[in-house]
Amino acid sequence: MQTLAAGAGAAFGLPLLPERLLAMPTSKDTPKRIVFFMQNQGFDPATCIPEGMKRSGSLAKVKLPEPISPLEPYKDRLHIINGLHGIHTSPSHSAFFGALGGYRGSDGVPPSASTIDYELSKILPQTLLPHLCIGMDSIENMRTKPTIATLSASGAGQPIFMHSNPNHLYQMLYGGISTGDIRRQHEARSNIFNQIEQLAAAKGNALPTADQQRYGQFVDGFKEVNGLRDRLDSVAGHLSKFAPKVDSRYTSPEHETDWHDVLLDLGISSLTSGITNTLTIGSGRGEIFGAWKGLGIEQQGHNLGHMEQPGNPIWIKIRQYNSRMLVRIIEALESIPEGSGTMMDHTLIVYTSNNADKQHTSGANWPVMLLGNFDGAFKTGCFTQLDGKRPINSLYATLLEAAGVPCEHFNMNEKLARKFDSGSGPLQELLA
């Protein structure tokens, strides 16, 4: 599903921002941020639950499974959750928008409501770009489809795209502070977008009334792209301290993991610089594809989902790679003072799959890992076993609760809630 399917204000995956957002957040804002890391092909609970651990308890005296072993030094910040369900999302190969939306999702089906990452981006302290999505895939897919929308949405029929070409994303975020070719390309693109906005606004008036509203959505999208560029340029001095160094991995990647790595660098820099407070990472981009040849894995795509994950050396490599990415996020945020602690003290990382526990799944079990405590809101250093009667929507209601917005049932009407949720409101087992 391409970006142009988006609706008003999200035609380019960028929710419209208030005019007052012309600078970085001030110290008066509560500094909270959230990261969603969605791995495709499922998240088998045996790859994250310590051996022999059947009941809820502390992680202090247990050893983490090999696939997530890079997180061992950080297990005091980890909360492993087993027993949520997503039956109502009909995940099968993927729940697509339903994974973060908590509703029925399918290939090619537009979102039926906003997703939790977008909703949180509206609640957290406003930034220049409230919500950034990055998507990792095979190098061929990232080149031919540099943007794709399958996981996040700002409303019904309004998908938000993921950036998959790091060169394009770097240009958008840091083109205004760059030199040489990157600067020239940034200025050329800005010129083109300005011209398109002007032409689109003028030509739209000649359309039939029924088409003017839809056309106006795309004009708004161009306005937002241009506005974002202007806002980023206005804080160039601040951003220059956080911009990653451009090297050969951008222009001449040997493997797709080179682009995965620099995309993560850009995502981290968008958090540490304050450009965004909500980052969504789609490894496999919410679909059934994906490749990790840079890890020595020749198999790719759909076939990976047909492999058992526990004890599988291929999936151990992929999961450890993901875990190392999570560690990179933690270490980067931990290195920057904020308030009486660090940026990590006010951050939550949510790691799961857009496909529950495996590729061909009913969604009866949807394992999740949380890292960080979101300014003391969540318990850490523990494992929580639930009874399978609360849906992923209850986790999202819990996130909203921690962000200061109580919610009984996220994206569930009373009829759905009666059928698929044995309780209401947040999961108290997770909250501190």
Side-chain angles (χ1 to χ4, degrees):
M1 187 178 301
Q2 292 300 311
T3 305
L4 294 183
F12 293 86
L14 301 170
L16 292 177
L17 304 180
E19 288 298 322
R20 63 184 176 83
L21 291 181
L22 298 177
M24 307 306 292
T26 68
S27 59
K28 294 180 182 179
D29 293 310
T30 302
K32 286 185 180 180
R33 59 199 61 81
I34 192 161
V35 179
F36 290 88
F37 194 121
M38 310 295 288
Q39 173 64 58
N40 68 349
Q41 313 287 13
F43 186 18
D44 193 300
T47 65
C48 66
I49 300 175
E51 187 176 356
M53 203 164 194
K54 305 295 183 183
R55 299 178 181 177
S56 300
S58 171
L59 296 174
K61 296 182 180 180
V62 299
K63 185 178 181 181
L64 296 182
E66 186 179 4
I68 63 167
S69 57
L71 297 174
E72 184 73 28
Y74 300 94
K75 67 182 180 182
D76 61 327
R77 301 186 177 198
L78 177 64
H79 194 151
I80 302 170
I81 305 159
N82 193 48
L84 289 168
H85 80 81
I87 296 171
H88 57 299
T89 69
S90 302
S92 187
H93 281 107
S94 173
F96 294 92
F97 297 106
L100 289 172
Y103 46 70
R104 186 179 180 87
S106 186
D107 191 7
V109 175
S112 59
S114 60
T115 50
I116 185 60
D117 47 353
Y118 174 76
E119 286 300 317
L120 286 166
S121 75
K122 294 192 303 179
I123 298 167
L124 298 176
Q126 299 236 312
T127 51
L128 295 177
L129 178 62
H131 187 195
L132 176 63
C133 304
I134 57 178
M136 303 166 180
D137 204 338
S138 68
I139 196 72
E140 297 83 7
N141 285 344
M142 290 190 289
R143 279 176 169 152
T144 57
K145 294 181 180 178
T147 61
I148 191 170
T150 58
L151 285 175
S152 302
S154 60
Q158 297 181 13
I160 298 173
F161 71 64
M162 288 179 281
H163 296 268
S164 292
N165 186 318
N167 297 290
H168 297 173
L169 181 55
Y170 189 96
Q171 219 177 81
M172 184 183 85
L173 297 177
Y174 301 113
I177 63 173
S178 301
T179 58
D181 286 344
I182 294 177
R183 176 73 183 192
R184 284 189 289 273
Q185 290 169 14
H186 174 76
E187 291 174 347
R189 280 174 174 263
S190 296
N191 244 353
I192 291 171
F193 278 138
N194 283 326
Q195 291 177 41
I196 292 175
E197 179 190 333
Q198 293 167 12
L199 285 169
K203 296 291 184 182
N205 295 330
L207 292 171
T209 304
D211 293 330
Q212 283 185 17
Q213 183 179 4
R214 179 177 293 180
Y215 199 76
Q217 294 172 359
F218 296 106
V219 175
D220 286 343
F222 278 107
K223 285 180 179 177
E224 179 53 28
V225 169
N226 294 331
L228 175 63
R229 288 169 180 271
D230 291 341
R231 289 191 294 273
L232 291 173
D233 288 351
S234 73
V235 290
H238 172 82
L239 296 183
S240 63
K241 304 171 188 174
F242 299 91
K245 182 181 178 182
V246 176
D247 55 33
S248 61
R249 293 175 300 170
Y250 283 78
T251 54
S252 304
E254 182 179 358
H255 299 291
E256 68 293 306
T257 45
D258 289 336
W259 269 17
H260 295 183
D261 290 339
V262 294
L263 279 168
L264 184 68
D265 288 342
L266 288 167
I268 290 173
S269 73
S270 74
L271 293 170
T272 55
S273 66
I275 289 176
T276 192
N277 56 29
T278 306
L279 174 64
T280 301
I281 301 168
S283 182
R285 303 201 298 183
E287 300 192 317
I288 60 172
F289 307 111
W292 292 266
K293 293 181 181 177
L295 305 181
I297 299 170
E298 290 303 316
Q299 296 91 336
Q300 59 181 316
H302 183 255
N303 291 336
L304 288 171
H306 285 276
M307 301 176 181
E308 290 291 324
Q309 292 183 14
N312 186 323
I314 289 176
W315 272 103
I316 290 173
K317 287 181 179 179
I318 294 173
R319 201 73 68 192
Q320 287 185 342
Y321 179 59
N322 290 349
S323 296
R324 290 194 297 272
M325 284 187 160
L326 298 178
V327 169
R328 283 172 58 192
I329 298 171
I330 293 170
E331 290 180 343
L333 295 177
E334 200 168 45
S335 70
I336 299 178
E338 186 174 66
S340 58
T342 69
M343 290 185 79
M344 189 61 207
D345 292 323
H346 310 114
T347 300
L348 183 71
I349 302 172
V350 182
Y351 179 93
T352 186
S353 176
N354 53 279
N355 212 39
D357 56 338
K358 57 186 177 182
Q359 189 190 89
H360 295 282
T361 180
S362 66
N365 187 23
W366 206 304
V368 178
M369 294 194 307
L370 305 180
L371 282 156
N373 62 28
F374 210 46
D375 204 15
F378 288 90
K379 296 174 183 175
T380 58
C382 56
F383 165 64
T384 294
Q385 177 64 51
L386 300 170
D387 61 7
K389 297 176 183 177
R390 303 279 332 253
I392 55 173
N393 306 62
S394 62
L395 171 64
Y396 302 155
T398 309
L399 299 180
L400 289 170
E401 176 84 15
V405 179
C407 174
E408 286 193 6
H409 297 287
F410 179 73
N411 278 347
M412 271 190 165
N413 58 32
E414 289 185 12
K415 183 179 178 181
L416 275 176
R418 282 197 302 270
K419 185 174 181 180
F420 293 109
D421 194 350
S422 64
S424 66
L427 294 158
Q428 296 298 335
E429 298 94 329
L430 310 186
L431 296 174

